Amino acid sequence: MAKTLFEKIWDAHVVQAADAESPATLYIDLHLVHEVTSPQAFTMLRERGLTVRRPSQTLATMDHSTPTTPRGADGIIPVTDEIARKQLNQLIQNCSDFGVPLYNLGTENQGIVHVIGPEQGYTQPGMTIVCGDSHTSTHGAFGALAFGIGTSEVGHVLATQCLLQQKPQTAEIRIDGTLRAGVTAKDIILAIIAKIGVGGGTGYVLEYTGSAIRALSMEERMTICNMSIEGGARAGLIAPDEITFAWLKDRPHTPKGEAWDAAVAYWRTLPSDEGASYDLQVVLNADELAPMITYGTNPGMGIPVTGNVPAPSDLADDSQRMALDKALNYMGLQPNQPLIGQKVDVVFLGSCTNSRISDLRAAAKLLDGKKVADGLRMLVVPGSQQVKRQAEAEGLDQIFRAAGAEWREAGCSMCIAMNGDQLQPGQYAVSTSNRNFEGRQGKGGRTFLASPLTAAATAINGHIVDVREIL
Amino acid sequence: MQPINTFQAKAVALPIENIDTDQIIPARYLKVTDKNGLGEALFTDWRGEPDFVLNQPYAQGAGVLIAGHNFGCGSSREHAPWALQGFGFQAVISTYFADIFKGNALKNGLLPIVVDAATLARLTEQCLANQTIDVSVDLANQQVHVAGETISFPIDAFSKHCLLHGVDQLGYIQAQEAAIQAYETSHAARVNTVGV
Ligand code: SF4
């Protein structure tokens, strides 16, 4: 029978099949761990006298509560928040007690968990990958079944390398056509979420297909899969192809020599078979897409940047009308107003959605020789120490600094506002991150989600612009 | 986990759709290394508003939250169900729940009760008209008794079994040790080359 990519990966990882009474037990190839969602799981292991079953399939990093402020004269990134320091120390202790490899703060390969997994070549096609973090969906860009889990499940995987899973349904999100200049992968995914809504993917694994997806680089594919969770999906997937293999070849942790050839031969069997069926299909045309921006307090509240904010009075459904009313109230926006020209206080370029080298290059190209608008603060936060080194080798940090932006250490930074980087109440930000929830970037802060191009163009102008006009 | 079966509780309504995990418990409260004290931070940014439902005297001691559509979207933080339970909630009623939130809730004995849109609208209206309504939940029969009506709700067989009997899911997986070992042996080429 013709199988989808999802079904092939799922079937290859079933330890014990589901039956009428119980879910399947699924084997997990790679378990990524960070400081925020793991402490209680390690505590549980201690309480029960358990060990980590497969430390060699477990990797920890620090990213969420870590500061991204520049290093001191001693070369050390200063942690001034005592509670954060306690959490970071707890991760060090846990990794040392249980033999889990850790990319400690400021070390060579440390960075955002979803940036370092692929960068180091841990993330590979056909794998099952989990992390106590919803944006684990990022790794689906490589044709791996990757999804976020809660802390109880982190404990299950640490102890058994397995998870109990109900089989999700599958959806094909097909995007054919060619992106116009100034329109990016970020705009594709914002358009998809605007179309299906933040709950539209609930219960589904999304597989992105079509000529527009095939044309994307690996980093662009990661941006798309990253935000699958913002459509409510369990995971996002893109079939591996030559672009995938070329990107992975010779990474530190990918197979080498004959093992590489064998791996690629296996990976080539993974794409969905001709005639495989999905439970749902959604179709978009890349030619019709414009740069997208959000106006509200969830990632589904997005419009083309040239559009106007919708009006609650146009909505028939009570619950939707109330939600929109509440969102506009929080955002301080008027129904039917355009967003172009909207003044912005902060531009944040970073997060696991858009902090890889190609994102920094794209923004730097626009900022080269220009200045960030007076009174606007721009933070540029590379996704990993390696991205940071690469950017510095290319002189991108000099471009950002010369433009008046802050050049930071690697981490989640203002994506999550639990590490010192945050908006002040009432401030507006254009952010390349993935969530515009109330208070996500700081209590009372107001977020417009957009692409790195739109972010850079906004930084130069001090207000939201259509990047296509300055390309 | 303590077994749960039937319970009675006062319900309050928070009729907002797509309530996300950042509202349930903002990230700045996630620096803890245990589960204590999160109930006090439940919906903390909304509790700054004097009118917010959980600030009302009648909401104190509530055990059921009647929410809008699609509750719990966003992050994987298990701190969200911990915070709801910390406040005293034993169940949340909505038309559907985000996948990760639902899984986290069930593992902690917080019951996600799915009802259809018309039922949710009716319950919300009754609750808002009376400030609170009394709800009685019967998990074994998958029913909620409220305001003279009986509403059935779905739950997967395994989660129901675990809740009714207080089954420890980790113990359940550990009991499959032989199958796990067999899997690792037969897939050695892959699992041994992950090589962290
Ligand atoms: S960058 Fe943001 S979304 Fe990504 S892992 Fe960090 S906090 Fe989560």
Side-chain angles (χ1 to χ4, degrees):
Chain A
M1 206 187 92
K3 283 189 186 182
T4 61
L5 167 61
F6 163 74
E7 287 162 332
K8 292 181 194 187
I9 303 175
W10 177 276
D11 290 350
H13 289 83
V14 172
V15 170
Q16 183 166 301
D19 58 29
E21 268 85 52
S22 32
T25 305
L26 215 57
Y27 194 79
I28 301 304
D29 292 324
L30 177 65
H31 184 193
L32 302 166
V33 172
H34 66 67
E35 74 276 23
V36 175
T37 53
S38 66
Q40 298 85 351
F42 283 107
T43 300
M44 184 278 296
L45 292 187
R46 281 195 186 88
E47 283 168 359
R48 299 189 185 202
L50 298 172
T51 56
V52 173
R53 182 187 179 87
R54 304 280 299 185
S56 67
Q57 287 167 249
T58 313
L59 174 70
T61 189
M62 297 178 172
D63 50 7
H64 284 68
S65 56
T66 56
T68 63
T69 37
R71 290 167 196 258
D74 52 3
I76 290 173
I77 300 169
V79 181
T80 53
D81 178 337
E82 282 311 317
I83 313 175
R85 184 205 301 279
K86 188 167 164 259
Q87 190 175 58
L88 298 172
N89 286 342
Q90 188 65 55
L91 183 64
I92 295 172
Q93 185 72 48
N94 289 338
C95 289
S96 139
D97 289 356
F98 290 90
V100 172
L102 168 67
Y103 288 176
N104 207 341
L105 180 62
T107 55
E108 208 182 10
N109 295 322
Q110 174 252 339
I112 305 174
V113 63
H114 312 307
V115 175
I116 62 168
E119 182 174 271
Q120 295 298 319
Y122 293 119
T123 300
Q124 295 167 25
M127 280 183 166
T128 47
I129 302 175
V130 297
C131 174
D133 195 288
S134 59
H135 292 97
T136 309
S137 61
T138 312
H139 308 259
F142 293 81
L145 178 60
F147 50 91
I149 57 177
T151 297
S152 295
E153 291 178 314
V154 169
H156 296 178
V157 180
L158 288 173
T160 68
Q161 206 59 34
C162 288
L163 266 185
L164 298 174
Q165 284 290 297
Q166 307 282 355
K167 196 170 185 173
Q169 294 188 286
T170 56
E172 180 187 24
I173 313 283
R174 187 169 191 89
I175 306 126
D176 284 315
T178 313
L179 288 177
R180 302 283 162 87
V183 186
T184 68
K186 182 65 164 284
D187 304 304
I188 295 182
I189 190 62
L190 285 172
I192 292 169
I193 301 163
K195 186 174 168 122
I196 68 173
V198 287
T202 305
Y204 288 90
V205 166
L206 311 181
E207 183 181 344
Y208 303 96
T209 67
S211 58
I213 296 294
R214 294 267 71 94
L216 297 176
S217 71
M218 282 321 297
E219 302 199 351
E220 293 170 314
R221 294 178 188 185
M222 284 189 252
T223 299
I224 300 223
C225 286
N226 172 274
M227 289 190 71
S228 303
I229 182 71
E230 308 314 334
R234 200 77 187 88
L237 278 171
I238 294 177
D241 60 12
E242 297 308 319
I243 292 174
T244 320
F245 310 147
W247 198 90
L248 283 174
K249 193 158 186 354
D250 298 327
R251 300 252 158 200
H253 293 269
T254 46
K256 304 289 178 310
E258 279 175 25
W260 169 260
D261 296 337
V264 172
Y266 171 57
W267 297 343
R268 285 189 204 284
T269 68
L270 291 170
S272 296
D273 298 328
E274 194 75 36
S277 67
Y278 300 84
D279 300 302
L280 179 78
Q281 196 193 38
V282 177
V283 178
L284 260 82
N285 183 347
D287 297 88
E288 291 167 6
L289 295 181
M292 295 287 293
I293 192 153
T294 62
Y295 55 84
T297 52
N298 73 49
M301 293 178 165
I303 48 173
V305 69
T306 49
N308 293 345
V309 172
S313 58
D314 292 345
L315 296 176
D317 179 272
D318 277 358
S319 157
Q320 285 178 0
R321 189 170 55 244
M322 274 169 58
L324 180 55
D325 207 43
K326 186 171 187 304
L328 296 190
N329 199 20
Y330 180 85
M331 292 295 291
L333 297 174
Q334 299 306 315
N336 298 316
Q337 79 162 84
L339 283 181
I340 295 230
Q342 168 70 39
K343 191 178 166 299
V344 167
D345 305 291
V346 175
V347 166
F348 172 63
L349 175 59
S351 88
C352 57
T353 315
N354 284 120
S355 65
R356 285 169 283 265
I357 190 69
S358 56
D359 301 309
L360 303 190
R361 284 178 189 144
K365 203 168 159 202
L366 289 183
L367 283 161
D368 196 1
K370 305 239 171 43
K371 287 270 182 224
V372 164
D374 274 351
L376 183 141
R377 177 184 185 202
M378 181 175 189
L379 263 88
V380 184
V381 187
S384 69
Q385 292 292 337
Q386 181 170 314
V387 169
K388 179 167 183 270
R389 279 194 302 279
Q390 175 72 27
E392 287 172 352
E394 296 177 18
L396 305 185
D397 61 320
Q398 296 305 328
I399 294 176
F400 292 126
R401 283 183 217 265
E406 296 172 42
W407 178 245
R408 293 299 196 90
E409 292 291 333
C412 296
S413 182
M414 206 185 270
C415 173
I416 192 158
M418 61 181 293
N419 43 48
D421 296 335
Q422 62 195 48
L423 296 176
Q424 298 308 309
Q427 279 191 321
Y428 286 102
V430 165
S431 175
T432 65
S433 56
N434 44 47
R435 288 192 173 138
N436 51 352
F437 297 148
E438 287 183 27
R440 171 77 180 187
Q441 296 196 285
K443 190 175 173 182
R446 296 151 161 174
T447 302
F448 300 110
L449 299 176
S451 72
L453 289 182
T454 299
T458 299
I460 297 164
N461 288 280
H463 52 82
I464 294 172
V465 292
D466 182 350
V467 66
R468 291 172 297 185
E469 302 200 335
I470 62 164
L471 285 179
Chain B
M1 194 174 67
Q2 292 298 318
I4 55 168
N5 184 4
T6 56
F7 58 88
Q8 295 193 322
K10 179 165 76 174
V12 290
L14 181 56
I16 298 171
E17 62 178 29
N18 302 322
I19 292 176
D20 60 77
T21 48
D22 280 75
Q23 305 322 309
I24 299 170
I25 181 88
R28 59 184 187 276
Y29 294 97
L30 308 187
K31 290 180 231 171
V32 293
T33 50
D34 55 25
K35 307 175 184 178
N36 303 330
L38 292 167
E40 285 146 46
L42 177 70
F43 294 118
T44 188
D45 289 349
W46 289 351
R47 276 158 94 176
E49 302 280 326
D51 294 348
F52 183 63
V53 57
L54 296 192
N55 291 336
Q56 310 315 312
Y58 64 76
Q60 305 320 307
V64 175
L65 183 68
I66 302 174
H69 306 299
N70 186 29
F71 187 82
C73 60
S75 114
S76 66
R77 61 190 71 162
E78 203 157 315
H79 310 69
W82 295 336
L84 286 157
Q85 289 180 309
F87 186 84
F89 288 115
Q90 295 167 273
V92 182
I93 302 178
S94 179
T95 47
Y96 62 105
F97 293 85
D99 293 323
I100 311 180
F101 175 83
K102 186 159 116 189
N104 286 342
L106 287 166
K107 282 185 190 59
N108 288 278
L110 175 72
L111 195 60
I113 297 177
V114 173
V115 298
D116 62 44
T119 303
L120 184 69
R122 202 166 58 242
L123 291 181
T124 304
E125 204 176 305
Q126 284 167 356
C127 189
L128 291 175
N130 299 293
Q131 297 186 328
T132 66
I133 39 174
D134 290 322
V135 172
S136 109
V137 176
D138 175 353
L139 175 59
N141 292 305
Q142 299 181 214
Q143 288 176 336
V144 180
H145 305 285
V146 53
E149 64 173 320
T150 296
I151 301 155
S152 294
F153 65 89
I155 182 168
D156 74 89
F158 183 73
S159 297
K160 178 175 165 180
H161 171 80
C162 291
L163 292 171
L164 284 174
H165 303 284
V167 171
D168 166 42
Q169 295 195 10
L170 175 54
Y172 176 86
I173 308 175
Q174 285 175 308
Q176 299 175 28
E177 177 59 27
I180 302 172
Q181 271 186 29
Y183 182 92
E184 284 177 337
T185 309
S186 58
H187 294 78
R190 189 180 68 240
V191 301
N192 290 332
T193 52
V194 174
V196 166

